[in-house]
Amino acid sequence: MGNQQVMYQINGKQFQCPIELSVSILAGRWKTTIICQLLKGKKRYGELKKGIIGVNHKMLAEQLRELEEAGIVRRHVYPVVPPKVEYELTERGEALRPAIEYLIAWGEQFGTPVPVADEDDPPARSC
């Protein structure tokens, strides 16, 4: 038996390495912060936007859609007026918890916490 190269595929894209696949899913300025917020439980769109300092509507919507396409986030639309939409992690998204918690701890070793200017009571920490 020879060395057979294996490729990894998701949503029609192929990757040489599972790390490359993982990074491609999580790449994006706001994706890990969105995941951190959803690790705390279901959130409505407005709650996510308020809890992520600096994100604009276009980027939040785009990155939520990409996480949904990757099977990390589930979007639930309620048939009410005005529209109510909630986001939560899927089982696949919840499986990221240990990795995200490790990355939080790892990042805290290298950074110095800086207080955020008061913007109508911003969240204490995004993650």
Side-chain angles (χ1 to χ4, degrees):
M1 306 264 158
N3 270 346
Q4 183 177 351
Q5 187 173 0
V6 175
M7 297 292 284
Y8 299 86
Q9 182 174 315
I10 186 167
N11 296 337
K13 296 178 187 172
Q14 291 190 343
F15 302 91
Q16 297 179 55
C17 164
I19 294 172
E20 184 183 12
L21 181 146
S22 301
V23 169
S24 79
I25 291 171
L26 299 176
R29 173 70 177 93
W30 306 105
K31 287 183 183 175
T32 53
T33 306
I34 291 167
I35 292 167
C36 283
Q37 290 290 310
L38 294 176
L39 282 170
K40 299 170 190 171
K42 288 181 185 180
K43 301 269 189 227
R44 292 183 69 173
Y45 182 88
E47 292 175 296
L48 284 170
K49 185 149 181 358
K50 184 178 179 183
I52 302 173
I53 298 169
V55 70
N56 64 38
H57 167 73
K58 178 182 181 259
M59 287 308 300
L60 181 57
E62 181 179 304
Q63 300 220 327
L64 280 165
R65 188 169 32 260
E66 290 174 9
L67 288 168
E68 186 179 3
E69 288 171 3
I72 304 298
V73 169
R74 178 179 304 112
R75 179 177 185 256
H76 185 78
V77 180
Y78 294 89
V80 295
V81 176
K84 178 181 175 184
V85 179
E86 284 185 335
Y87 294 90
E88 66 181 325
L89 293 175
T90 61
E91 191 173 314
R92 180 182 284 175
E94 191 61 45
L96 286 167
R97 183 180 294 276
I100 296 293
E101 288 174 349
Y102 180 81
L103 287 171
I104 291 167
W106 188 79
E108 286 174 340
Q109 295 176 24
F110 296 99
T112 303
V114 178
V116 177
D118 186 17
E119 294 181 11
D120 297 330
D121 195 30
R125 185 171 103 177
S126 292
C127 289

